[in-house]
Structures are given as structure tokens and as C-alpha cells.
Amino acid sequence: MREELRVFFNERADIWDDIQEIQAEKIERLLSYLPIAKGGVILDVGSGTGVLIPFLRKLFMPSLIVEIDIAENMLAVARRKFGSDGILYIWGDAESYEFDRSFDAIICYSSFPHFENKEGLISHLVSFLKEGGIFAVVHSSGRDTIHRIHALNEVTKNDLLPAGDELAKMFEKRGLEVFKVIDTEDEYVVAGLKGAKVKFI
């Protein structure tokens, strides 16, 4: 666990929602590209203050949302906002945490750049993904914008997002069938399916 990153987010937890622009329509559209079965279990990686929770509930009606984050103060804010009905909060590092369940979908929303061992993270998380499950990295901003924001702080200045085709190759090396790659000036999605090969329109 990157202690300096944990401190960075913990110190900002109470004001995080005030300083972030939540582009609701864009987030919903990006998530709608993911063919996640309704009623499943979804892992929200680097979940922060729970930005994805209302969108996941609306689109996929999951039986359980698992929120994992290294910053306990961010999780505390999410719990205050959304309670614990249908949500499990885990304070831990997704790169190494041993989950006691498998998931129908694993989503890294606005968190993937902060993981130092990105290929290791994918390998670790895919082991908890059900056959036919969806793994996705999603951002409602483009890479240049993300890198520019991260460069403003010493803690996050090296937290970069790979090009979409580069991340797609990481996915494929770990047995994911990539079905969506978007890497534009203002949005980013790389998504893959574990196991069975299917065609997406």
C-alpha cells in the first residue's frame, strides 16, 4: 500500500465531492457499454467516496457492491452517503487483498493510474472474476487531462494511464477478451470479458 497516497486521499476525503466534477450523463453512458448481468456482484476498485454506487444501482441492480479503497476516510464518506444496504466496504489494497468471493464485474473508475504494478493488479483481480465476467477501466476524462491533473501534485505526478491499445494488450495477456477500447480526448474505456468468446455489437 502506498502510504503517501493513502494520506493524500485521507486528507481530502471530506472535501473530495466538492472539488470533483461528476459528469453524470457521461459516466452513465460509459458504464452502459458494459454488458454486466443484472443482479450480480460488482467490485468497485479504488472506490473513493462511492461515486459509482448510484450508477451501478441504476444500470445493473447488483445484489452486492463491494467498495475497496486504501483511504479509510474516503470509505467513511461513502458509508455516510449510501449506508450499508447492499454494499460492503473494504479498507485495503486491491493489488494484494484476498477476497472471499468472486465477482460478475470488476470496475476501476478513475483509480487505475494510482496502482504502481498495473499488470500485477490485473492478474490479481482477474483471479476473482467469474467466467464470463467483465473487467473494465473507465475514466470520464481523457489521458492528457488526467496526466495534467496528476502532475500538479508530488504524490500523484507519476500516476499515468496507459494508452488504450497498450492496456488492451495487458488484458489479453491475462485471458480477457477485449470488446471495448475508447481512448479519446475526453473519455477512456478498456473492457474485457473473462473466458468465453462472444461478439459485441
Side-chain angles (χ1 to χ4, degrees):
M1 182 181 295
R2 288 172 60 191
E3 181 61 22
E4 71 278 9
L5 192 67
R6 172 178 166 258
V7 170
F8 174 86
F9 283 115
N10 271 338
E11 289 177 344
R12 292 160 176 77
D14 287 333
I15 62 169
W16 192 253
D17 288 345
D18 296 326
I19 63 176
Q20 300 301 305
E21 179 186 2
I22 306 301
Q23 303 178 68
E25 290 185 7
K26 181 184 283 189
I27 294 172
E28 187 169 332
R29 177 170 53 78
L30 295 177
L31 291 177
S32 72
Y33 295 139
L34 310 180
I36 298 172
K38 287 183 168 54
V41 180
I42 300 177
L43 176 64
D44 182 5
V45 177
S47 55
T49 60
V51 169
L52 279 196
I53 290 174
F55 301 101
L56 298 178
R57 283 175 165 170
K58 178 180 179 180
L59 291 171
F60 310 118
M61 295 175 284
S63 58
L64 180 67
I65 299 172
V66 178
E67 302 275 286
I68 184 168
D69 202 284
I70 62 169
E72 64 271 31
N73 291 353
M74 298 287 258
L75 292 171
V77 172
R79 188 188 298 272
R80 287 200 301 269
K81 288 163 58 180
F82 299 107
S84 298
D85 185 18
I87 306 172
L88 175 64
Y89 300 92
I90 297 174
W91 175 41
D93 187 345
E95 284 190 48
S96 57
Y97 192 87
E98 293 295 326
F99 298 94
D100 61 0
R101 68 192 73 227
S102 56
F103 302 98
D104 297 279
I106 297 175
I107 302 174
C108 303
Y109 174 72
S110 294
S111 63
F112 193 74
H114 299 303
F115 292 96
E116 292 183 299
N117 183 0
K118 292 175 174 57
E119 296 197 36
L121 173 73
I122 297 167
S123 294
H124 180 66
L125 291 179
V126 164
S127 69
F128 297 98
L129 188 63
K130 294 178 182 177
E131 288 295 309
I134 303 295
F135 191 107
V137 173
V138 181
H139 288 264
S140 51
S141 298
R143 284 189 298 121
D144 287 346
T145 299
I146 292 165
H147 295 168
R148 188 165 59 250
I149 293 170
H150 288 177
L152 298 174
N153 190 280
E154 190 69 22
V155 174
T156 59
K157 68 178 184 180
N158 294 318
D159 294 356
L160 305 178
L161 185 61
D165 56 355
E166 180 183 341
L167 184 55
K169 290 176 182 177
M170 294 185 200
F171 275 27
E172 290 167 349
K173 283 172 59 178
R174 282 147 189 88
L176 294 169
E177 175 83 3
V178 175
F179 62 86
K180 196 75 172 180
V181 178
I182 301 172
D183 185 357
T184 67
E185 290 184 1
D186 60 357
E187 56 190 36
Y188 183 102
V189 178
V190 177
L193 179 83
K194 182 177 180 177
K197 295 182 182 295
V198 297
K199 292 184 178 179
F200 292 88
I201 298 174

